[in-house]
Amino acid sequence: MRGDSFVPDYPNADVRVSPNTGERRGKGPVDILLLHYTGMKDGPSAEDWLCDPQSDVSCHYIVHEDGSIVQMAPESRRAWHAGKSFWKGETDINSRSIGIEIVNGGHDFGMPDFPEAQIAAVIALARDVSRRNTIQQERVLAHSDVAPGRKLDPGEKFPWKVLAEAGVGHWVPPSPVSRGRFLALGDRGQPVEALQSMLALYGYGTDVTGDFDEKTATRVAAFQRHFRPSRVDGVADSSTIETLHGLLAALPRYAV
Ligand SMILES: [Zn+2]
């Protein structure tokens, strides 16, 4: 089923309407750009699924491997891509975000590389969306950032560094992985509290309890998947903690 067509917000996009959208809710601005991988066997199946009224999912844009882009929902509409999620106190991420699905099989299909043409298209689209909606770069997020434990996409192979070099997203070079002190599941006390406070300050949905529990480990893994992808193990080693420090220090003043 196809609804009424619309003029694409991004001039280089083709349009295929998804029926799975609604009105945005609340008063907050659209100020998050959420990146996903499709996690299906190929692009056409993913595109069909996102337009299938049975699926109850959609996004604003899908970026195929060859860099071609299809817009499925006007940016003014609320697309259904984030699900149960949290970032910096906000729980209705769908109402506050633009969603981009990037065609990639992901963890279930062998973690293929993202082709260069596709990443170039994502960068150009992300710049355009950010400019049009006043999205600050520290609010260009992974689905796994806002739904840790539940979602892994766009995954640790997604080239956030390449995006950052093109001005998209917030990034500092990760501190090198080395031996040394670390915090892990079962640890307790002030250092764990400090870690949880830093994760929460950056935006992750974390309770500051001083207990390094499963929930904390999934937040640490989500952080690593985005910002220190060479090792994603949920252990807060010194590289992880230093990288988190570096990101917080690099935040613009208004964002702290
Ligand atoms: Zn996703």
Side-chain angles (χ1 to χ4, degrees):
M1 186 185 84
R2 292 187 182 200
D4 292 333
S5 196
F6 58 87
V7 177
D9 295 291
Y10 184 56
N12 299 341
D14 292 324
V15 170
R16 177 175 172 187
V17 179
S18 171
N20 308 324
T21 66
E23 298 285 328
R24 291 188 183 273
R25 301 170 189 153
K27 289 202 167 65
V30 174
D31 62 355
I32 292 173
L33 177 57
L34 198 62
L35 303 188
H36 305 259
Y37 67 43
T38 49
M40 292 179 66
K41 73 174 165 43
D42 58 34
S45 327
E47 194 180 308
D48 287 348
W49 179 244
L50 291 160
C51 291
D52 182 343
Q54 304 297 315
S55 75
D56 279 344
V57 291
S58 63
C59 61
H60 294 91
Y61 297 96
I62 182 168
V63 181
H64 288 279
E65 286 127 319
D66 65 358
S68 61
I69 298 175
V70 176
Q71 185 170 2
M72 301 178 161
E75 289 181 5
S76 58
R77 301 278 291 170
R78 182 178 182 273
W80 304 343
H81 51 97
K84 186 173 159 40
S85 47
F86 179 97
W87 193 254
K88 280 210 165 182
E90 178 61 64
T91 52
D92 185 358
I93 302 295
N94 282 337
S95 281
R96 297 286 296 270
S97 65
I98 302 290
I100 300 179
E101 287 279 359
I102 301 160
V103 172
N104 183 277
H107 293 80
D108 287 347
F109 291 90
M111 300 269 285
D113 289 332
F114 293 85
E116 257 177 59
Q118 186 182 35
I119 292 305
V122 169
I123 288 169
L125 173 61
R127 280 176 166 166
D128 194 66
V129 168
S130 299
R131 194 170 48 236
R132 215 167 329 100
N133 296 279
T134 323
I135 294 169
Q136 305 297 341
Q137 294 311 300
E138 70 278 4
R139 289 172 77 85
V140 177
L141 301 170
H143 197 188
S144 52
D145 290 322
V146 303
R150 196 171 67 78
K151 293 292 174 181
L152 303 174
D153 60 308
E156 54 271 34
K157 283 189 78 176
F158 187 71
W160 291 103
K161 178 172 179 283
V162 176
L163 269 69
E165 284 163 359
V168 176
H170 189 224
W171 175 265
V172 296
S175 171
V177 179
S178 60
R179 291 178 206 281
R181 292 200 52 200
F182 62 86
L183 299 168
L185 201 59
D187 284 343
R188 279 198 172 78
Q190 200 282 325
V192 176
E193 218 176 285
L195 167 70
Q196 291 169 329
S197 299
M198 288 200 298
L199 286 167
L201 186 60
Y202 197 72
Y204 290 90
T206 310
D207 301 324
V208 180
T209 60
D211 284 337
F212 199 119
D213 53 7
E214 286 286 356
K215 195 174 165 186
T216 305
T218 61
R219 270 64 183 168
V220 170
F223 174 82
Q224 292 169 331
R225 187 163 274 118
H226 185 160
F227 296 106
R228 208 286 304 271
S230 61
R231 188 187 292 175
V232 180
D233 58 5
V235 172
D237 54 17
S238 51
S239 151
T240 301
I241 293 170
E242 282 167 24
T243 306
L244 177 52
H245 260 295
L247 281 160
L248 285 168
L251 279 177
R253 290 189 79 88
Y254 62 77
V256 182

